[in-house]
Amino acid sequence: MPTFEPQDPDFEMRVRASFTRQKVMETIGASLTRVAPGEVEIELPFRDDLTQHHGYLHAGIVTSIVDTACGLAAMTLMPADASVLTIEYKANFVSPATGKRMIARGRVTKPGRTITVCAGDVVALSGGKEKLVATMLATMMAVRERPDLPA
Amino acid sequence: MPTFEPQDPDFEMRVRASFTRQKVMETIGASLTRVAPGEVEIELPFRDDLTQHHGYLHAGIVTSIVDTACGLAAMTLMPADASVLTIEYKANFVSPATGKRMIARGRVTKPGRTITVCAGDVVALSGGKEKLVATMLATMMAVRERPDLPA
Amino acid sequence: MPTFEPQDPDFEMRVRASFTRQKVMETIGASLTRVAPGEVEIELPFRDDLTQHHGYLHAGIVTSIVDTACGLAAMTLMPADASVLTIEYKANFVSPATGKRMIARGRVTKPGRTITVCAGDVVALSGGKEKLVATMLATMMAVRERPDLPA
Amino acid sequence: MPTFEPQDPDFEMRVRASFTRQKVMETIGASLTRVAPGEVEIELPFRDDLTQHHGYLHAGIVTSIVDTACGLAAMTLMPADASVLTIEYKANFVSPATGKRMIARGRVTKPGRTITVCAGDVVALSGGKEKLVATMLATMMAVRERPDLPA
């Protein structure tokens, strides 16, 4: 895996502040558990009120945490004045999103001035073991003219 | 656009029941506003606690409603004993998800015994005008061995 | 469907020249059959030397023509000095690519200064009837610093 | 990375025969360079008659080799009587497909009785160094009723 050099030494602070501004993350109970250059991890405890018709976490909720993990992974490598927008993503759902909690991991595949491509995975944690739930490929865009909301 | 003939005359009742079992839909405040052969519509009023860092609805929430609209559109054409699972989807986000409310429309592109391909759109409604927010292409699977949860 | 106003009145000439520079199009025998604002059509007669293991046209060949149709559809709406690059695409394959010839249709879903989102379809033509073979969602980028090859 | 146990001890012979039946692979000059359980590698020397308008290999050609690599990677884990079909894929193009030759690597992310999810990469080789050109996420289906063409 490539190693990346952040442009902004305060990238972690900036990424944590952006996560906090994502109100939906608090609403669903997600927390930011790791920020490194080109990599971000988000955890989500299972919650019955976020499920679909089989009692698993809804694909859209699984997608929410891995999209945010990918977007923030891209943001770790962006300049201090850039904000990040999701242009598009694709996700495959390979096992039921069930278990004690989910961990979403986003990482940068290819950084760029405008476009950053990221890959992400979501695993379900149960009894100390990880099982792959979903895998994502995402295209993120650095935007200058559209800053994050004021805190 | 093609017209479709449902295999199960009670498809609407079945689809409405499946929507009700998706607890996350109630949690985010979505409602099922239209069910027709091969087409389903879901509405979601804007809510501040579902937003991302710019104050728009989070991409994952936008995805949740259009994924459910696509999955249920596929289900309208499935036999009475089949349940539906999302295998994968891709979504492009083309405008900020802001406005009074979102309408997600899912429709079947190609039905199949095992695999059904669907397309979906999300529009934002403001002042009586629609603006495209997101567009999706999704692959749905009919499953027999995994019924919906008991009501 | 939205109607689009090209920025460059000579868009058709520019798009036709770009198609001609795509040597692979000649190699596989594809021709450009329609250019309109936001819409492009490409035809490909079936050829046995382009097939996969079941004797259908290979998914990558089907993708080639609809990718070019989408890219050129995006290009119809770009300024005169812009070239187009495919950032990413997704395609679903819904029927075997067999028949006398394929028609790929690309159209702009959402134009933009940097990013243009397109949708495309490929149909197989046999006995005067069309059958959907593949459907695509693509993200195109306008590039200024990387012009087309000299003719 | 997970290790996989093939169901069919003759998987390599079966995969090599299927590659040979893909006439397009010969047409573009691709060769099968590695077959292992859940992993397949295909090489393609650069050829000027496969290029797009900037003189790079066309995205559809890049996609062809990584689609075949992913499909055959899935096939290594399928039973002896199964053939493989591409349901859908998504690819991101991250650098120009230029250089002496391309190597496409497909690997199984999640095998399944009906559906197998694969990931693939294409790298360009120049001066002994690899550069990532494209990355793919693909959904493959095992089909029993549609055998490969007779040799």
Side-chain angles (χ1 to χ4, degrees):
Chain A
M1 207 170 320
T3 56
F4 298 111
E5 195 60 50
Q7 299 179 54
D8 171 20
D10 294 330
F11 73 90
E12 179 166 353
M13 194 194 67
R14 208 160 36 89
V15 160
R16 291 194 175 276
S18 190
F19 180 84
T20 304
R21 280 184 212 104
Q22 298 204 9
K23 294 188 187 163
V24 71
M25 291 295 124
E26 192 184 345
T27 303
I28 64 174
S31 52
L32 180 60
T33 47
R34 182 164 183 258
V35 179
E39 287 183 65
V40 162
E41 201 174 281
I42 291 172
E43 283 199 22
L44 178 72
F46 185 90
R47 253 175 45 184
D48 195 50
D49 66 343
L50 302 176
T51 54
Q52 40 83 285
H53 50 294
H54 299 109
Y56 313 141
L57 284 181
H58 193 281
I61 297 299
V62 171
T63 298
S64 295
I65 55 170
V66 66
D67 168 40
T68 290
C70 283
L72 295 180
M75 197 187 189
T76 62
L77 304 182
M78 290 180 180
D81 65 337
S83 186
V84 64
L85 266 185
T86 300
I87 293 185
E88 65 81 41
Y89 50 56
K90 177 201 190 287
N92 269 79
F93 302 93
V94 301
S95 312
T98 185
K100 276 208 114 98
R101 64 184 201 274
M102 305 292 133
I103 304 179
R105 295 182 181 116
R107 60 192 173 280
V108 171
T109 300
K110 178 76 192 311
R113 196 167 46 92
T114 308
I115 300 296
T116 293
V117 176
C118 296
D121 289 315
V122 179
V123 296
L125 232 92
S126 269
K129 286 172 72 173
E130 293 193 357
K131 188 175 185 182
L132 186 68
V133 162
T135 183
M136 172 178 273
L137 211 46
T139 309
M140 300 293 167
M141 191 176 196
V143 283
R144 262 86 177 187
E145 72 275 29
R146 208 180 305 178
D148 275 21
L149 286 182
Chain B
M1 208 171 321
T3 56
F4 298 111
E5 195 59 52
Q7 302 179 52
D8 171 19
D10 294 330
F11 73 91
E12 180 167 351
M13 193 194 66
R14 209 159 37 89
V15 160
R16 290 193 176 274
S18 190
F19 179 84
T20 303
R21 278 184 212 106
Q22 297 205 9
K23 294 187 188 163
V24 73
M25 291 294 124
E26 192 184 345
T27 302
I28 64 174
S31 52
L32 181 59
T33 47
R34 182 165 184 257
V35 178
E39 285 183 66
V40 162
E41 201 174 280
I42 291 172
E43 283 199 23
L44 177 72
F46 186 89
R47 251 175 46 184
D48 195 50
D49 64 344
L50 302 176
T51 54
Q52 41 82 286
H53 50 294
H54 299 109
Y56 313 141
L57 284 180
H58 193 281
I61 297 299
V62 171
T63 298
S64 295
I65 55 172
V66 66
D67 168 40
T68 290
C70 284
L72 295 180
M75 197 187 190
T76 61
L77 305 182
M78 290 180 180
D81 64 337
S83 186
V84 65
L85 266 186
T86 300
I87 293 185
E88 64 81 40
Y89 50 57
K90 177 201 190 289
N92 269 78
F93 302 93
V94 302
S95 311
T98 184
K100 275 209 115 100
R101 64 185 201 275
M102 305 291 134
I103 305 180
R105 297 183 179 114
R107 60 192 174 281
V108 172
T109 299
K110 179 75 192 312
R113 195 166 46 92
T114 308
I115 299 295
T116 293
V117 176
C118 296
D121 287 316
V122 180
V123 296
L125 232 91
S126 270
K129 286 172 70 173
E130 293 194 357
K131 187 173 184 182
L132 185 67
V133 162
T135 181
M136 173 178 270
L137 213 46
T139 309
M140 300 292 167
M141 192 177 194
V143 284
R144 262 85 176 188
E145 72 274 30
R146 209 182 304 180
D148 274 20
L149 286 182
Chain C
M1 208 171 319
T3 56
F4 298 111
E5 195 59 51
Q7 299 180 52
D8 172 19
D10 294 329
F11 72 90
E12 180 167 352
M13 194 194 65
R14 209 159 38 88
V15 160
R16 291 194 176 274
S18 190
F19 180 83
T20 303
R21 279 184 212 106
Q22 298 204 9
K23 295 188 185 161
V24 72
M25 290 294 124
E26 192 184 345
T27 302
I28 64 173
S31 53
L32 181 60
T33 48
R34 182 165 184 258
V35 179
E39 285 184 70
V40 162
E41 201 174 281
I42 290 172
E43 282 198 25
L44 178 72
F46 185 89
R47 253 174 47 183
D48 195 49
D49 64 344
L50 302 175
T51 53
Q52 41 82 286
H53 51 294
H54 300 108
Y56 313 141
L57 285 181
H58 192 281
I61 298 297
V62 171
T63 298
S64 295
I65 56 171
V66 66
D67 169 39
T68 290
C70 284
L72 295 180
M75 198 187 189
T76 63
L77 305 183
M78 291 179 181
D81 65 336
S83 185
V84 65
L85 266 185
T86 301
I87 293 185
E88 64 82 38
Y89 49 56
K90 177 199 190 290
N92 270 76
F93 303 93
V94 302
S95 312
T98 186
K100 275 207 115 101
R101 64 184 200 276
M102 305 292 133
I103 304 179
R105 295 183 181 114
R107 62 193 172 279
V108 171
T109 300
K110 179 73 192 312
R113 197 167 45 92
T114 307
I115 299 296
T116 293
V117 176
C118 296
D121 288 316
V122 180
V123 297
L125 232 90
S126 271
K129 285 172 72 172
E130 293 193 358
K131 187 174 185 184
L132 185 68
V133 162
T135 182
M136 173 179 269
L137 212 47
T139 309
M140 300 293 167
M141 191 177 195
V143 284
R144 263 86 175 188
E145 73 276 24
R146 209 181 303 180
D148 274 22
L149 285 182
Chain D
M1 210 173 314
T3 56
F4 298 111
E5 196 58 52
Q7 301 180 52
D8 171 21
D10 295 330
F11 72 92
E12 181 168 351
M13 194 194 66
R14 208 158 38 88
V15 161
R16 291 193 176 275
S18 190
F19 180 83
T20 303
R21 279 185 211 104
Q22 298 204 10
K23 294 186 187 164
V24 73
M25 291 293 125
E26 193 185 344
T27 302
I28 64 174
S31 53
L32 180 60
T33 48
R34 182 164 184 258
V35 179
E39 285 184 68
V40 163
E41 200 174 282
I42 290 172
E43 281 198 25
L44 178 72
F46 185 89
R47 252 174 47 183
D48 195 50
D49 66 342
L50 302 176
T51 53
Q52 41 82 287
H53 51 295
H54 298 108
Y56 313 141
L57 285 180
H58 193 281
I61 298 298
V62 171
T63 299
S64 296
I65 55 171
V66 65
D67 169 40
T68 290
C70 284
L72 294 180
M75 198 187 190
T76 62
L77 305 183
M78 290 180 180
D81 65 336
S83 186
V84 65
L85 266 186
T86 300
I87 293 186
E88 64 81 40
Y89 49 57
K90 177 199 190 290
N92 270 76
F93 302 93
V94 302
S95 313
T98 185
K100 276 209 115 101
R101 62 185 202 274
M102 304 291 133
I103 305 179
R105 296 183 180 114
R107 61 192 174 280
V108 171
T109 300
K110 179 75 192 313
R113 197 167 45 93
T114 308
I115 299 296
T116 293
V117 176
C118 296
D121 287 317
V122 180
V123 296
L125 232 91
S126 271
K129 285 172 71 173
E130 294 192 356
K131 187 174 185 182
L132 186 67
V133 162
T135 184
M136 173 179 271
L137 212 46
T139 310
M140 301 292 167
M141 191 177 194
V143 283
R144 262 85 176 187
E145 72 275 26
R146 209 180 305 180
D148 274 20
L149 286 182

